[in-house]
Amino acid sequence: MPIYEYTCAQCAHQFEEIVLGREEAVTCPKCGSGKTQKLMSRCRSKLGGSEPVGAGTVPSGGGCTGCSGGSCASCG
């Protein structure tokens, strides 16, 4: 079940919501307004090495941490 971040156009409250369906209407939990907008979430993950990789960055080497070609069996 995906969790999305929203902001309310009426009261500017930012909140998270579990959304089961793509077309499900999301109302603000603070003021009850239906004028909400989905926000672009920022995420971070760790890919093999010691440095975290954030949105918009590419790990060095072009492949997995085991090789630099990106076509070995461990890259999947």
Side-chain angles (χ1 to χ4, degrees):
M1 289 187 286
I3 299 174
Y4 295 104
E5 294 178 55
Y6 290 87
T7 187
C8 177
Q10 188 163 330
C11 71
H13 178 63
Q14 291 186 359
F15 60 97
E16 295 177 343
E17 187 73 29
I18 296 175
V19 180
L20 302 175
R22 294 180 76 174
E23 301 300 320
E24 185 176 329
V26 176
T27 58
C28 177
K30 186 174 181 181
C31 72
S33 172
K35 296 179 181 180
T36 58
Q37 181 178 8
K38 191 184 298 185
L39 299 174
M40 183 68 85
S41 298
R42 296 179 64 194
C43 66
R44 292 179 67 128
S45 62
K46 188 174 180 182
L47 298 175
S50 61
E51 294 295 319
V53 177
T57 62
V58 177
S60 62
C64 67
T65 58
C67 69
S68 61
S71 61
C72 66
S74 65
C75 289

